Amino acid sequence: MNLAVVIEAPGEHHLVEHTPREPAAGEALVRVHAVGICGSDREVYQGNRPEGYVRYPLTPGHEWSGTVEAVGARVPTSLVGRKVVGEGFRNCQVCDRCHAGQTTLCAAGYEETGFTEPGAMATTLTLPARLLHALPDDADLTAAALLEPAACIAAAALKANTRPGDRVAVVGTGTLGMFAVQFLKAGSPSELLMVGTRPDRAELSRSFGATDFRTRDQELPDDFDVVIETAGSASAATTAAALLRRGGRLVLTGLPAPGADGLDPTDLVVRQLEVHTVFGAPPDAWAHTVRVFGAGLLDPLPLVTHELPLEEFTHAIELVGSGDPKVGKVLLRP
């Protein structure tokens, strides 16, 4: 039976019968294999998503993988049967930002799969074919469901512009942090420190390439070249900046609560820190992620701890917000 999760309003959802939408010109119909749940999905369910960044009623799901079942006119039929993942941000393709490849800054406004457009917590997903990235035929689709958060971190790694021999660090030990370790490790750093609040993540971080692990209450260095922050709190941003040498590069990917105290602008200026931010992944970051994944240099699978059917959506949301150290990435399997 074809099913879909529909969130009617914050805290109110239903499991409904899903009718696949035939692809129009330029579109593709994808049979969803797996869809990940992250903190932003929990925000959608609880009603904490910033105004303008969600539209109810909604089928959520922006982290997904699947197989193309059908395509509309003006889409190559060779795409049918291919394993794929897809970009979330919808964009106009004609503004100056889109022409510059910065589709997450599209001047037409914010539109994204799973937030303002139907997402992948359904048996199928129909979307513009131009957003798809084809995977190798032997790709593991369960692992590939994590390529959306990986692409966001790829965007951060590209902005960090690391060089071989740099001393690099990651603040945050969740899914994004573990991806950051993997991307930074590929750049041959001389040192790769992970900083977080969960000592139980030390072994996993080392398996991905970290050379050291420390909690925030331990003594921390202050001479790193590059730091990527993934924890999403104001205190994590402050910790990340404090790790840097003068002139170092900081990339922020987390979203703290609005109005939170955080970085000191005087400190940023006096130490001439180079600060970048990431909200979503543009096409170049997606292409980079798929290429790295296809080459076997990115290993998402150890991060998955739970796979549940759509019927257990509520339980999956509870798991994501439980704080249980045994809970990593939670996937739904339509």
Side-chain angles (χ1 to χ4, degrees), residues 52-65:
Y53 289 85
V54 64
R55 187 181 301 130
Y56 302 100
L58 173 73
T59 293
H62 61 288
E63 306 176 1
W64 58 270
S65 64

Side-chain angles (χ1 to χ4, degrees), residues 120-151:
M121 291 188 192
T123 312
T124 68
L125 173 65
T126 302
L127 74 168
R130 60 183 170 79
L131 299 178
L132 298 179
H133 290 260
L135 302 171
D137 291 339
D138 61 351
D140 184 324
L141 282 177
T142 299
L146 277 68
L147 291 189
E148 191 277 340

Side-chain angles (χ1 to χ4, degrees), residues 9-303:
E12 180 185 343
H13 85 282
H14 305 283
L15 197 67
V16 303
E17 187 171 351
H18 170 70
T19 301
R21 183 172 70 79
E22 289 301 313
E27 292 186 324
L29 170 67
V30 177
R31 175 71 53 174
V32 178
H33 173 82
V35 54
I37 298 180
C38 79
S40 55
D41 296 303
R42 187 173 166 82
E43 289 175 354
V44 169
Y45 185 62
Q46 294 180 327
N48 300 327
R49 186 82 171 162
E51 186 177 354
Y53 289 85
V54 64
R55 187 181 301 130
Y56 302 100
L58 173 73
T59 293
H62 61 288
E63 306 176 1
W64 58 270
S65 64
T67 304
V68 177
E69 282 204 343
V71 297
R74 300 197 299 274
V75 178
T77 56
S78 59
L79 200 57
V80 175
R82 292 298 304 272
K83 296 178 178 179
V84 295
V85 289
E87 299 175 31
F89 280 77
R90 310 297 178 92
N91 53 83
C92 72
Q93 296 185 286
V94 296
C95 72
D96 61 340
R97 295 299 87 201
C98 284
H99 281 306
Q102 298 173 325
T103 54
T104 60
L105 298 174
C106 177
Y110 171 78
E111 298 287 343
E112 186 176 4
T113 300
F115 296 106
T116 64
E117 296 287 340
M121 291 188 192
T123 312
T124 68
L125 173 65
T126 302
L127 74 168
R130 60 183 170 79
L131 299 178
L132 298 179
H133 290 260
L135 302 171
D137 291 339
D138 61 351
D140 184 324
L141 282 177
T142 299
L146 277 68
L147 291 189
E148 191 277 340
C152 294
I153 293 302
L158 291 171
K159 288 189 175 186
N161 191 28
T162 58
R163 303 170 180 86
D166 276 350
R167 301 181 71 230
V168 302
V170 175
V171 175
T173 58
T175 299
L176 296 180
M178 294 302 169
F179 278 134
V181 168
Q182 294 185 61
F183 275 108
L184 291 175
K185 175 64 177 177
S188 301
S190 61
E191 228 178 302
L192 206 176
L193 169 67
M194 173 162 263
V195 178
T197 58
R198 291 179 50 183
D200 60 292
R201 302 288 274 181
E203 183 178 348
L204 183 61
S205 71
R206 291 181 190 278
S207 73
F208 285 139
T211 58
D212 193 9
F213 181 97
R214 301 189 195 184
T215 56
R216 289 193 220 169
D217 56 359
Q218 291 180 291
E219 183 178 352
L220 298 174
D222 60 2
D223 56 353
F224 276 68
D225 300 296
V226 172
V227 178
I228 294 179
E229 176 276 325
T230 68
S233 69
S235 61
T238 302
T239 297
L243 287 166
L244 287 164
R245 62 167 174 80
R246 295 190 70 202
R249 298 185 296 284
L250 172 64
V251 186
L252 304 173
T253 71
L255 279 174
D261 292 330
L263 298 176
D264 178 357
T266 301
D267 178 61
L268 299 180
V269 173
V270 170
R271 293 205 289 137
Q272 300 182 63
L273 298 184
E274 185 179 322
V275 182
H276 298 274
T277 60
V278 169
F279 179 66
D284 63 337
W286 270 98
H288 181 52
T289 301
V290 170
R291 186 166 55 248
V292 171
F293 176 67
L297 300 175
L298 193 65
D299 186 13
L301 212 52
L303 302 175

